[in-house]
Amino acid sequence: MKAIFILIPLIFVAGCIGNDSYQDVGDIPFDAATDDDSFEICNEKNIKQYYSRYSANTSAGYQGEKRTLEDEVMSRYKFPHSETQNGYFTVRFIVNCRGESGRFRTEEMNFAYKPFKFDPKISEQLTEIVKGLNGWIPRKGRSRNYDFYQYLTFKIENGQIVKILP
């Protein structure tokens, strides 16, 4: 019986090695229907999560740190007051080795973590604001820059942003 449990992971791993279509959870493949084809990834096979740290690398971030990012978002956001607009709005994307962002994906949920559709006045506005953030700092290490995944989650109460995560 033990051999079966050992072989299954090995078969899975062997099936993934050399398979260019293999993806990790959270990967954002190019979608010709929604993505800007002028946005270039520097190394499609080596896109790290924003929080991952490994030797000789500095973590990625935003110029001026989180406070500057929050100030930029809040200065652009027009608060459409609505008692029915409550939940989390997340924008996931990639920052390439030049600090440019692209491949934006969104997810919307209520405070019970159930799917929820925000008013487009909120969802479209937040997506455009995130697309317009230009202060991204790429991952650096071993004398070169790297691509990374990033996300911003907006906690929204009554149509107003009350917190920006992470």
Side-chain angles (χ1 to χ4, degrees), residues 145-164:
N145 292 345
Y146 294 90
D147 309 308
F148 69 94
Y149 288 105
Q150 179 66 50
Y151 78 92
L152 295 174
T153 296
F154 302 92
K155 181 177 180 181
I156 299 171
E157 292 180 5
N158 301 323
Q160 296 188 31
I161 298 170
V162 295
K163 189 163 186 104
I164 301 174

Side-chain angles (χ1 to χ4, degrees), residues 68-80:
T68 300
L69 184 144
E70 290 174 335
D71 290 346
E72 285 188 41
V73 169
M74 299 306 267
S75 70
R76 298 177 193 177
Y77 186 69
K78 308 291 185 254
F79 297 105

Side-chain angles (χ1 to χ4, degrees), residues 110-161:
N110 63 22
F111 289 138
Y113 303 105
K114 304 283 187 209
F116 174 78
K117 201 74 174 145
F118 280 97
D119 183 313
K121 291 177 186 170
I122 293 173
S123 58
E124 291 173 9
Q125 182 182 178
L126 286 174
T127 302
E128 289 306 309
I129 289 170
V130 172
K131 286 180 178 182
L133 294 172
N134 294 315
W136 296 107
I137 302 167
R139 293 188 61 84
K140 297 180 192 312
R142 298 195 177 128
S143 71
R144 63 185 241 207
N145 292 345
Y146 294 90
D147 309 308
F148 69 94
Y149 288 105
Q150 179 66 50
Y151 78 92
L152 295 174
T153 296
F154 302 92
K155 181 177 180 181
I156 299 171
E157 292 180 5
N158 301 323
Q160 296 188 31
I161 298 170

Side-chain angles (χ1 to χ4, degrees), residues 14-164:
C16 296
I17 296 173
N19 182 352
D20 289 337
S21 65
Y22 174 75
Q23 295 179 328
D24 288 324
V25 172
D27 283 0
I28 306 174
F30 176 76
D31 182 349
T34 60
D35 295 332
D36 178 356
D37 60 356
S38 68
F39 175 70
E40 295 179 3
I41 302 295
C42 301
N43 185 347
E44 193 76 46
K45 294 181 181 183
N46 190 22
I47 305 173
K48 301 293 184 193
Q49 296 298 330
Y50 77 95
Y51 53 80
S52 63
R53 295 185 85 111
Y54 48 97
S55 64
N57 280 352
T58 60
S59 59
Y62 197 77
Q63 292 174 7
E65 304 288 330
K66 184 176 179 183
R67 184 67 177 162
T68 300
L69 184 144
E70 290 174 335
D71 290 346
E72 285 188 41
V73 169
M74 299 306 267
S75 70
R76 298 177 193 177
Y77 186 69
K78 308 291 185 254
F79 297 105
H81 182 79
S82 172
E83 293 180 12
T84 63
Q85 299 297 293
N86 299 295
Y88 299 101
F89 183 80
T90 299
V91 182
R92 295 183 310 115
F93 52 97
I94 298 172
V95 176
N96 68 16
C97 66
R98 292 177 290 285
E100 304 161 337
S101 57
R103 295 192 191 173
F104 298 91
R105 304 293 187 267
T106 61
E107 186 172 356
E108 304 168 60
M109 64 185 81
N110 63 22
F111 289 138
Y113 303 105
K114 304 283 187 209
F116 174 78
K117 201 74 174 145
F118 280 97
D119 183 313
K121 291 177 186 170
I122 293 173
S123 58
E124 291 173 9
Q125 182 182 178
L126 286 174
T127 302
E128 289 306 309
I129 289 170
V130 172
K131 286 180 178 182
L133 294 172
N134 294 315
W136 296 107
I137 302 167
R139 293 188 61 84
K140 297 180 192 312
R142 298 195 177 128
S143 71
R144 63 185 241 207
N145 292 345
Y146 294 90
D147 309 308
F148 69 94
Y149 288 105
Q150 179 66 50
Y151 78 92
L152 295 174
T153 296
F154 302 92
K155 181 177 180 181
I156 299 171
E157 292 180 5
N158 301 323
Q160 296 188 31
I161 298 170
V162 295
K163 189 163 186 104
I164 301 174

